[in-house]
Amino acid sequence: MIGLIVINSSHTQAQKSSLKIAKLKYNGGGDWYANKTALPNLIIFCNSNLKTNISREEEIVEIGSPEIFLYPFIYMTGHGNVVFSASEAQNLRNYLVSGGFLHIDDNYGLDQFVRLEMKKVFPELDFVELPFDHPIYHQKYHFNEGPPKIHEHDGKPPQGFGIIYEGRLVCFYSYESDLGNGWEDQSIYNDPEETRRLALEMGANIISFAFTQD
């Protein structure tokens, strides 16, 4: 595995911040930088409720960079176009098959693009909808009907898809859920606290699963 979960105890401050996760920067013109407060808020929630020691700074890593291997967990979001070059797709594949984990969070409008580009990464694999009894929905928090619905767009139910490589879930794709919007500062969308809490709990489950799956 690329990274391991770190649990609070008597570690030094340096050790407490040794684990870092990052947002994925991609090409194509889509707003990869969307939801600026989302990942920092999720990190705070995980450090408080899962006792993780994730650095609170939002790291950004380019898809084609060798630095991607420094992060055990990568978050990808946006509304628009996504383009992976052949070398970028290969770099992402190498990262995922060597133990990395990618969470793709459709921020509305990403779906048609990201599905095509992930085919460049795993041409032999398709996204499959994960059953509601999948462990990603049953970490510290239980989601018996899959991912929560945070924002409404097209009247479609929220779904969770995965790419499974040699028996391991390497990519989780939250669709029609808008988890990242729920992680944002409350003042941005004025979502009810209960809704934000559900989004953060699902996010914490994803983090927990990514760092503890075999």
Side-chain angles (χ1 to χ4, degrees):
M1 292 292 290
I2 287 177
L4 296 174
I5 199 164
V6 181
I7 303 298
N8 270 317
S9 60
S10 59
H11 296 295
T12 65
Q13 186 61 40
Q15 287 173 313
K16 287 183 177 181
S17 60
S18 63
L19 181 65
K20 296 181 179 181
I21 62 179
K23 180 180 285 184
L24 189 68
K25 181 179 180 180
Y26 53 85
N27 296 308
D31 55 340
W32 61 266
Y33 46 81
N35 291 351
K36 294 183 182 300
T37 65
L39 208 54
N41 284 341
L42 177 61
I43 290 169
I44 291 170
F45 184 85
C46 289
N47 286 349
S48 176
N49 293 277
L50 299 183
K51 307 306 179 186
T52 49
N53 289 318
I54 305 171
S55 173
R56 288 175 61 173
E57 294 184 15
E58 182 186 62
E59 304 278 332
I60 295 170
V61 65
E62 295 188 11
I63 185 172
S65 170
E67 292 186 358
I68 198 172
F69 292 89
L70 298 176
Y71 305 99
F73 182 98
I74 302 293
Y75 174 68
M76 177 181 181
T77 192
H79 297 82
N81 194 29
V82 179
V83 174
F84 296 164
S85 69
S87 62
E88 289 171 340
Q90 186 62 54
N91 195 53
L92 182 57
R93 182 186 177 96
N94 291 344
Y95 164 77
L96 294 173
V97 302
S98 64
F101 189 92
L102 174 65
H103 173 206
I104 303 172
D105 186 34
D106 177 30
N107 206 355
Y108 192 61
L110 191 69
D111 186 70
Q112 62 178 312
F113 306 109
V114 79
R115 286 182 178 272
L116 288 174
E117 297 311 294
M118 287 304 292
K119 260 300 183 181
K120 296 178 182 177
V121 181
F122 290 102
E124 77 278 24
L125 299 175
D126 294 313
F127 280 109
V128 295
E129 186 167 8
L130 301 181
F132 295 160
D133 61 355
H134 191 278
I136 203 166
Y137 298 127
H138 301 279
Q139 297 290 305
K140 179 171 182 178
Y141 306 103
H142 294 278
F143 290 86
N144 296 322
E145 297 180 356
K149 186 75 168 179
I150 306 305
H151 286 167
E152 185 62 68
H153 294 296
D154 294 327
K156 298 178 181 178
Q159 293 175 281
F161 297 95
I163 291 177
I164 300 172
Y165 176 80
E166 295 187 352
R168 176 176 166 267
L169 181 66
V170 298
C171 174
F172 178 71
Y173 174 34
S174 46
Y175 174 64
E176 286 287 333
S177 176
D178 260 350
L179 290 176
N181 282 5
W183 303 342
E184 290 262 56
D185 287 348
Q186 199 278 337
S187 60
I188 295 178
Y189 293 107
N190 292 318
D191 289 326
E193 187 57 36
E194 179 182 358
T195 300
R196 293 186 67 242
R197 177 82 186 192
L198 286 173
L200 289 164
E201 289 178 352
M202 185 64 229
N205 270 14
I206 299 168
I207 293 280
S208 176
F209 176 83
F211 290 136
T212 59
Q213 71 168 326
D214 294 332

